[in-house]
Amino acid sequence: MIEGKDNINFFEVNIVKRILLLLLFMMLLPFAEKAFASNTVIQVNKEVNVYDNRSGSLVQVGTLSAGQTFEVTKDYGPNWWQIRWGGYYGYVEKKSTKVVSAKTYKNTVPAVTKITDYIVPTKVAPIYDNTDIKLVQFATLSKGIPFPIYNKMGNWYGIAVDGRLGYVHSNNVVEEKGKHTTNTTKPVEKPTTTLPSKKNGYIEALENVTLTDFRREKAMAIATLLKGQQLEVVDSMDPTYVKVRWGKSYVYAEKSKVKFVNTPAYKNVGKDSTMKNQYFIPTSPNSELYDNSAKTLKPFAKLDTNRRYPILKKEGAWYVTVLGGRVGYIHSSKVAMDRGVPVLMYHHFLKERELGRFKNVSTTMTDVQFAKEMQYLKSKNYETITDDELLRFMRNEITLPAYSIVLTFDDGLLSTREYAYPVLKKNGFKATQFLITYRNESAKDGQIFNHNDLQAISRKDMTNMQDVFAYESHTYNLHTLVQNKGKMLLIPYHEVVKDLQRSKTMIPKAKSFAYPFGQYNANTIKAVKESGFVMAYSTKHGYNNPYDDIYQIKRLASNQKTTFAQFQKMVLPYAK
């Protein structure tokens, strides 16, 4: 009896334990569900918009980049995820994401608890992750939408994006202190279940309509959609523009100049994103893009002769591209292959009578020759672009006009003040000087130019010429040859890094570097990266294209032996 009683008590105790555990589980279930939701991680399948719905309608506040992962703060029903965004919440369509087991990034950061200062994008602003050896874009901020600042590092603003630390460059935003307050308005409980992102899917031009790219500070007209012609729409939520895919980016058409249609009248459908990293430039004013799905060619768009267009393929004598999901043909006789953006390299300038020992020296040019070259660029409407724009172009974040050029000047010599600066200013050009900062630190203000010597510009000279020149690094004091080998290649790695970092004390905003004498190796590139430079210029001959190595930027040199005809051919954006 004692044995049986013990068995009954054991059974009863276990029943009680199970009931208590069940009750405890039910009590904790809401907290468990909340914890699960907050730890849910999604991966974005393609670039997806982030919306704020506190106004009662959806307002785009940014985008998330394809392939990137983010934590979810709340599951918002069958259509939406809620994520932390700009001090409150943003909403992302589920159909463009998938749930994954873990986030792929490392730079987590707590939410901003006290918000006082904001950045306001002056254009669509890329947000970068900087935990690897290169910056990786993982999201964007929409133009004009305030976002709280987490910290600031040099030219970069740190922001907390859904618990992830991201960096936005100061060129893309303005800082506003205390002008905004966190909007605590509660979100609408049920965001719109479907977005009007494709109003009937296609647009038809009511008149000739310009297709515009807004990724640069100044808008670029890319092509003209001809009256009565149609393209596929990507997004139509903006009150002024409809969004059309172009290559791996987008162009925009004014809503007032188009109408929406249900189905396309054309048959030649293509995927813009499948195009190659090869481009053509129209060379004829008759640069129509043709539909060839019928038996006769019919133009549906007109291209710009100062633009580069991605190539899908070549069919016989025709180049094929895609615009707004529509395949187009242009005859090879009206285009030329783009060879990329040229970067010109200059050093020292003298008048013909001043040359003396610099006669026929490859790094010296006469003032007359330089002025003639710059006047030619001006007459052909070349646009001098900055380091930042070249970097974004090579990362395929923007396109640039076909007639774009970068002007660089090595060594920071005083002759640039005498002979280059006035010419550049007259023509409205921008340029970059790479400084050997030890020499510039030592240079005295107000020095008189001596054509028999190599003098460095001073701090005052730099200030006086900053309306034309940006100043970057050419080392602090490693611009020396030892038996025809650059000192940078001969000293220990840590000394190279120390020198490069020291070069920034005079030019703290420096982000690009030029290798002394064009000499470098894998270790040199590593040191340049470790020192905080995001791009570097070589002396290798050639042109620069999207996805080229940004730490081996190619350049072209003009010197006393370069004829004017050779110069004209050298800067041409395409090969004849």
Side-chain angles (χ1 to χ4, degrees), residues 457-471:
I457 58 174
S458 68
R459 289 180 184 272
K460 187 175 182 180
D461 294 324
M462 290 169 61
T463 300
N464 291 342
M465 296 191 293
Q466 64 184 355
D467 57 334
V468 167
F469 288 115
Y471 301 103

Side-chain angles (χ1 to χ4, degrees), residues 210-247:
T210 300
L211 301 176
T212 306
D213 184 344
F214 290 111
R215 291 174 297 167
R216 296 181 71 205
E217 287 187 6
K218 50 185 175 182
M220 288 175 58
I222 297 299
T224 301
L225 179 64
L226 302 180
K227 182 179 179 180
Q229 296 300 313
Q230 300 169 351
L231 294 177
E232 184 180 4
V233 175
V234 173
D235 197 319
S236 61
M237 288 192 66
D238 188 277
T240 308
Y241 295 97
V242 292
K243 188 176 183 180
V244 173
R245 182 168 284 282
W246 178 54

Side-chain angles (χ1 to χ4, degrees), residues 24 92 108 116 151 156 179 225 234 317 383 506 568 576:
L24 181 62
V92 177
T108 56
T116 57
N151 61 21
W156 296 86
K179 287 190 177 182
L225 179 64
V234 173
E383 183 177 339
M506 188 177 189
Q568 291 175 285
K576 282 189 173 180

Side-chain angles (χ1 to χ4, degrees), residues 366-384:
T366 67
D367 61 330
V368 172
Q369 182 183 350
F370 178 72
K372 188 175 183 180
E373 290 180 355
M374 294 302 103
Q375 181 54 44
Y376 173 76
L377 297 179
K378 182 70 173 180
S379 70
K380 295 299 180 181
N381 296 315
Y382 277 82
E383 183 177 339
T384 54

